[in-house]
């Protein structure tokens, strides 16, 4: 079997995690931790599936899932930014609410599939040896995920709103003094994170030809949370981390199919084991520096309150 | 005035409630999954709905997505306290919780699915699914060209291993050259893992894909790659219109109707020996109708074999059989007893793959 096709599949299968973790990265950069990714993905997966299935139009499904999940994430924004409630609790609530709502609405659609996006070859790029097959014979959402990686990289480090975003996550009181509207910046970041989670969810139902089921996300939202930490809040590393996770996840089945007798339990642990190892190594390297987490991550900002 | 209205309303409603519950025979179901999982729990819930139709005076209730363990015990207790007459607990992990609660409610009948612990008021029920797996194996063995059949397996427990072995025996009965490659997902339901496993099996030359997991993800992959496939738990031919062959399925209606009927008439006073473990003869298991891809001669073999199994003339685990490592399992004409089947933790000859615990 062609190794390139396997790699191409890994890129495809990792894309939902890439999309969701990039959204979470932006939200966390602004200082808002959102543990509701799993729930938002479910909302995105179902609304995308539902609209796509009813209209037969995949694009409409994707747009619907992005909008609906964006609106859904406003719950988290309102609770944590406006009402200053605990971000962990609100995020968890969002996960349960989203998963429940999607499963409930999805009754009666089990094992039903919507239309699915097909791979489009990019004319020139797809002719590049090796890279062409792996990266440039994918569906449009995969291309979009490449674009978003670099877009966010540019936005965060090279633009003024991007710096303001980081500023809000590092030192909200200072940014407040500097005249940045923290509430507005954080709201935008959380909604963006929600939209990306919705897109990641829609990928599962509209680009992966998976039939609807109420466990369709299978914990990917949680993995995305871990990948943001693993990628140290850097879009490039987050993207790479997602692909690495996908590759390791795939490896356990490739080895079993070829009769390599390693216990599947060990193989199943590999991706997580690897995450732990990498986390340890990188933390030793930068032992003097900080981990890279936004300083005020998880803290609500209350003006004139002690931080 | 307002308060008075409320009190009157409450009184009215509670009277309605009392009347309804007092003279009805009540049956409860405790499910591990969701009733719309399109597989295991859905098949039990179909049985429950059928009970409501068959016995108009029986009221049924259920709780879905119940975690195995302490939470299950709490939910079973709640049902027992509310005066339910029969409580079905439909997952292996509910075994100990069921036994524990049953001790406190001697008047209530408990029926646990797939377990082996019984008591005076606790019976067990299950089905000989391996018979349907054997029939599916015959279809696979007949229809493979590469002689490589893939099997996506959930957890390495005797039930699943028994299924894989029966499937393999069926395939090799009609095609001694065939072998079955097993991939474990270590999960009952995980779309992504099942997909990955399916892709991996197709990559190594498998031309028939069988799933023992609950989702239909493997069938979607098979359809995409044009590889013939065999499902499990539900007739999901809609997701694999051009490649679906058949699927072994559960059908609990006969078991549930029998138990509820007997419990209503108080026919059984001691459940210590009540263990439903029937096969094709009672319809508790069945094979989804073979698709048009299956040639007529194969259909005939399946029909004939079904008859032989029902009449007891063909036993699936009959010697001479060898284990995967080449050692003897059963000698000539020796038939494996139920104890052996229920504790089966080894593969038979013809299965490629390891059982993780060994």
């Amino acid at each position: 079997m062609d190794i390139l096709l396997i790699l191409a599949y890994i890129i495809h299968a990792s894309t939902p995690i890439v999309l969701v973790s990039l959204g979470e990265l932006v939200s966390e950069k602004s200082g808002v931790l959102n543990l509701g990714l799993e729930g938002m993905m479910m909302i995105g997966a179902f609304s995308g599936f539902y609209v796509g299935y009813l209209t037969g139009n995949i694009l409409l499904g994707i747009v619907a899932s992005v909008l609906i999940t964006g609106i859904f994430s406003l719950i988290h924004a309102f609770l944590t930014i406006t009402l200053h409630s605990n971000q962990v609790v609100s995020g968890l609530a969002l996960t349960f609410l989203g998963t429940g709502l999607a499963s409930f609405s999805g009754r009666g659609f089990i094992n039903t599939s919507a239309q699915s996006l097909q791979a489009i070859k990019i004319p020139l790029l797809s002719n590049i040896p090796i890279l062409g097959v792996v990266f440039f014979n994918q569906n449009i959402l995969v291309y979009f995920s490449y674009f978003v990686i670099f877009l966010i990289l540019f936005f965060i480090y090279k633009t003024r709103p991007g710096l303001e975003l980081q500023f809000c996550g590092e030192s909200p009181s200072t940014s407040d003094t500097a005249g940045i509207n923290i509430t507005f910046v954080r709201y935008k970041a959380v909604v963006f994170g929600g939209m990306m989670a919705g897109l990641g969810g829609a990928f599962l139902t509209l680009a992966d030809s998976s039939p609807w089921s109420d466990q369709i996300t299978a914990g990917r939202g949680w993995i995305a949370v871990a990948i943001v930490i693993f990628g140290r809040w850097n879009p490039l590393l987050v993207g790479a981390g997602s692909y690495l996770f996908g590759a390791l996840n795939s490896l356990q089945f490739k080895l079993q199919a070829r009769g390599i007798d390693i216990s599947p339990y060990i193989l199943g642990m590999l991706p997580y084991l690897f995450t732990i190892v990498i986390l340890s190594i990188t933390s030793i390297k930068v032992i003097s520096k900080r981990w890279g987490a936004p300083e005020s991550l998880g803290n609500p900002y209350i003006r004139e309150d002690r931080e | 005035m307002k308060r008075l209205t409320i009190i009157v309303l409450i009184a009215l409603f509670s009277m309605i409630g009392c009347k309804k519950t007092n003279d009805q025979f009540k049956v409860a179901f405790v499910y591990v999954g969701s009733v719309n999982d399109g597989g295991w729990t859905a098949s039990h819930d179909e049985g429950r709905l059928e009970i409501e139709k068959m016995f108009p005076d029986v009221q049924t209730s259920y709780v879905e997505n119940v975690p195995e363990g302490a939470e299950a015990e709490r939910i079973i207790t709640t049902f027992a306290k509310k005066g339910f007459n029969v409580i079905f607990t439909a997952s292996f992990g509910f075994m100990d919780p069921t036994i524990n609660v049953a001790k406190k409610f001697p008047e209530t009948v408990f029926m646990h699915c797939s377990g082996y612990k019984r008591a005076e008021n606790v019976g067990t029920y299950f089905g000989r699914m391996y018979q349907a797996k054997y029939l599916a194996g015959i279809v696979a063995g007949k229809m493979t060209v590469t002689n490589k059949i893939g099997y996506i397996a959930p957890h390495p427990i005797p039930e699943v291993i028994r299924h894989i072995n029966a499937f393999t025996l069926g395939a090799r009965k009609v095609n001694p050259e065939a072998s079955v490659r097993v991939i474990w997902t270590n999960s009952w339901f995980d779309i992504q893992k099942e997909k990955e496993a399916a892709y991996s099996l197709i990559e190594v030359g498998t031309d028939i894909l069988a799933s023992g997991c609950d989702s239909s993800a493997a069938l979607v992959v098979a359809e995409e790659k044009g590889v013939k496939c065999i499902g499990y738990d539900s007739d999901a031919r809609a997701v694999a219109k051009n490649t679906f062959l058949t699927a072994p399925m559960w059908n609990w209606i006969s078991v549930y109707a029998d138990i509820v009927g007997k419990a209503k008439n108080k026919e059984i006073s001691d459940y210590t020996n009540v263990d439903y473990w029937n096969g094709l003869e009672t319809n508790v298991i069945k094979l989804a109708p073979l698709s048009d891809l299956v040639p007529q001669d194969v259909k005939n073999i399946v029909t004939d074999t079904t008859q032989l199994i029902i009449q007891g003339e063909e036993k699936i685990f009959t010697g001479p059989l060898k284990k995967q490592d080449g050692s003897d399992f059963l000698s000539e004409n020796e038939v494996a007893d139920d104890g052996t089947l229920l504790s089966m933790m080894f593969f038979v000859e013809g299965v490629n793959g390891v059982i993780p615990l060994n």
Side-chain angles (χ1 to χ4, degrees):
Chain A
M1 177 67 194
D2 199 344
I3 182 88
L4 295 181
L5 291 182
I6 296 178
L7 289 176
Y9 177 72
I10 290 171
I11 297 287
H12 169 91
S14 313
T15 299
I17 297 180
V18 176
L19 293 168
V20 179
S21 50
L22 284 173
E24 176 71 5
L25 181 148
V26 170
S27 169
E28 289 190 14
K29 275 281 184 192
S30 82
V32 183
L33 175 73
N34 190 348
L35 294 181
L37 295 182
E38 185 80 2
M40 294 195 297
M41 275 185 91
M42 284 295 287
I43 292 281
F46 181 71
S47 46
F49 161 79
Y50 187 68
V51 173
Y53 179 75
L54 283 192
T55 61
N57 187 332
I58 304 174
L59 196 69
L60 220 56
I62 292 173
V63 171
S65 81
V66 169
L67 288 180
I68 291 171
T69 321
I71 293 167
F72 186 67
S73 67
L74 278 172
I75 300 174
H76 186 65
F78 180 70
L79 285 175
T80 61
I81 305 168
T82 307
L83 300 183
H84 312 303
S85 39
N86 185 313
Q87 296 180 1
V88 172
V89 176
S90 164
L92 290 177
L94 216 60
T95 284
F96 292 120
L97 181 64
T99 315
L101 264 178
S103 314
F104 179 72
S105 323
R107 277 167 185 264
F109 291 101
I110 299 285
N111 276 335
T112 321
S113 296
Q115 294 280 322
S116 200
L117 285 175
Q118 298 301 318
I120 304 166
K121 273 190 183 169
I122 293 190
L124 284 171
L125 293 173
S126 63
N127 296 334
I128 305 172
I130 302 177
L131 292 182
V133 184
V134 178
F135 289 101
F136 300 108
N137 185 17
Q138 301 278 9
N139 68 54
I140 195 159
L141 280 182
V142 179
Y143 298 135
F144 181 71
S145 73
Y146 304 155
F147 173 69
V148 175
I149 293 178
F150 292 103
L151 183 76
I152 291 179
L153 190 69
F154 178 76
F155 172 76
I156 287 181
Y157 298 110
K158 298 288 176 203
T159 68
R160 191 181 166 85
L163 290 173
E164 287 179 359
L165 175 87
Q166 285 198 69
F167 211 20
C168 285
E170 294 294 345
S171 179
S173 56
T174 324
S175 8
D176 198 14
T177 320
I180 300 169
N181 185 344
I182 299 174
T183 308
F184 189 49
V185 171
R186 286 190 169 178
Y187 258 88
K188 281 190 289 187
V190 171
V191 170
F192 177 78
M195 288 172 149
M196 291 295 281
L199 197 60
F203 187 96
L204 299 172
T205 43
L206 294 173
D208 196 41
S209 52
S210 294
W212 170 253
S213 90
D214 53 7
Q215 295 162 54
I216 194 160
T217 51
R220 281 189 195 74
W222 298 112
I223 291 167
V225 174
I227 295 239
V228 175
I229 303 167
F230 171 79
R232 304 187 57 212
W233 292 270
N234 177 318
L236 284 179
L237 289 179
V238 164
S242 309
Y243 293 138
L244 192 67
F245 194 89
L248 284 171
N249 209 19
S250 216
L251 186 70
Q252 54 173 314
F253 302 105
K254 308 293 167 203
L255 291 181
Q256 278 196 64
R258 283 161 185 78
I260 297 168
D261 290 346
I262 306 173
S263 165
Y265 289 120
I266 304 270
L267 293 174
M269 277 188 323
L270 265 184
Y272 306 95
L273 207 64
F274 195 77
T275 309
I276 294 171
V277 170
I278 292 289
L279 282 178
S280 321
I281 293 172
T282 44
S283 68
I284 294 165
K285 258 189 181 171
V286 295
I287 202 147
S288 54
K289 290 185 191 171
R290 270 194 293 105
W291 179 244
E295 180 81 346
S296 284
L297 179 59
N299 301 331
Y301 175 65
I302 307 166
R303 188 177 275 181
E304 291 183 4
D305 197 34
R306 274 167 200 238
E307 278 183 42
Chain B
M1 188 60 206
K2 204 174 180 185
R3 194 174 290 169
L4 189 73
T5 323
I6 293 171
I7 292 170
V8 169
L9 276 176
I10 291 173
L12 264 174
F13 277 119
S14 50
M15 269 158 66
I16 296 167
C18 289
K19 197 170 187 299
K20 206 176 179 188
T21 46
N22 273 350
D23 53 3
Q24 266 188 329
F25 191 82
K26 297 199 293 180
V27 180
F29 292 78
V30 181
Y31 298 140
V32 69
S34 107
V35 292
N36 54 8
D37 67 352
W40 174 257
T41 299
S43 70
H44 286 277
D45 205 51
E46 277 165 27
R48 181 185 69 84
L49 292 171
E50 201 61 28
I51 290 289
E52 287 207 322
K53 274 187 216 152
M54 288 168 75
F55 303 93
D57 52 339
V58 168
Q59 182 205 339
T60 71
S61 257
Y62 68 88
V63 178
E64 57 186 334
N65 291 321
V66 177
E68 298 176 335
E71 178 71 4
E73 204 163 315
R74 196 181 63 77
I75 285 166
I76 300 168
T77 307
T78 310
F79 274 133
K81 270 191 185 156
K82 280 186 180 166
F84 277 80
N85 305 78
V86 183
I87 299 172
F88 292 100
T89 52
S91 185
F92 183 76
F94 296 155
M95 180 163 67
D96 289 333
T98 308
I99 295 284
N100 293 343
V101 179
K103 281 183 199 143
K104 297 175 210 150
F105 298 92
E107 295 305 309
T108 312
V109 174
F110 295 84
M111 289 300 290
H112 175 241
C113 184
S114 80
Y116 52 83
K117 290 187 184 168
R118 282 180 289 277
E120 216 159 287
N121 58 338
V122 184
T124 51
Y125 63 103
F126 204 26
R128 294 181 188 267
M129 175 48 86
Y130 66 91
Q131 294 178 345
K133 291 276 180 180
Y134 179 74
L135 296 174
I138 290 177
V139 177
K142 271 284 175 190
M143 300 202 58
T144 177
V145 179
T146 60
N147 290 334
K148 285 183 184 170
I149 300 165
Y151 195 106
I152 300 165
H155 291 287
I157 57 170
E159 173 196 342
V160 174
I161 291 166
R162 187 165 70 239
H163 293 169
I164 296 169
N165 284 340
F167 180 83
T168 309
L169 292 176
R172 286 166 66 88
K173 182 199 171 198
V174 294
N175 179 357
E177 299 294 310
S179 64
V180 175
R181 162 65 66 192
V182 175
I183 290 193
W184 300 100
T185 62
N186 293 320
S187 167
W188 291 111
F189 192 108
D190 187 324
I191 288 180
Q192 197 57 35
K193 283 184 180 169
E194 289 164 37
K195 274 192 147 177
E196 292 265 12
Y199 279 118
S200 305
L201 283 168
I202 294 170
E203 280 160 25
V204 295
T206 294
D207 68 346
I208 308 262
L209 215 51
S211 181
C213 299
D214 285 347
S215 99
S216 56
L219 307 191
V220 174
V221 172
E223 180 76 2
E224 181 193 322
K225 295 279 178 187
V227 169
K228 297 186 182 71
C229 56
I230 294 170
Y232 179 46
D233 266 358
S234 69
D235 191 342
R237 67 186 69 214
V239 302
K241 292 186 181 73
N242 304 309
T243 52
F244 183 86
L245 297 176
T246 183
M249 285 166 57
W250 296 101
N251 179 8
W252 299 102
I253 293 153
S254 58
V255 179
Y256 284 149
D258 200 58
I259 296 170
V260 171
K262 283 182 178 157
K264 265 189 80 183
N265 302 331
K266 303 214 182 309
E267 280 176 36
I268 304 168
S269 55
D270 184 357
Y271 281 82
T272 315
N273 290 318
V274 175
D275 176 28
Y276 287 77
W277 201 37
N278 301 316
L280 290 165
E281 71 281 2
T282 64
N283 241 340
V284 63
I285 52 153
K286 62 180 180 186
L287 209 53
L290 298 171
S291 76
D292 293 338
L293 293 175
V294 183
Q296 193 55 45
D297 64 311
V298 180
K299 284 183 176 166
N300 292 342
I301 298 175
V302 171
T303 316
D304 295 347
T305 315
T306 308
Q307 282 313 310
L308 288 174
I309 293 174
I310 290 174
Q311 289 155 8
E313 285 168 33
E314 181 160 347
K315 302 269 190 224
I316 292 161
F317 291 95
T318 305
L321 285 183
K322 281 188 188 303
K323 293 185 184 177
Q324 187 185 35
D325 58 12
S327 62
D328 287 325
F329 168 31
L330 297 170
S331 55
E332 187 81 35
N333 290 329
E334 190 188 351
V335 177
D337 58 19
D338 284 354
T340 311
L341 296 184
L342 287 170
S343 60
M344 193 170 254
M345 280 306 282
F346 56 84
F347 282 143
V348 297
E349 195 180 28
V351 181
N352 291 326
V354 279
I355 297 171
L357 294 182
N358 287 356

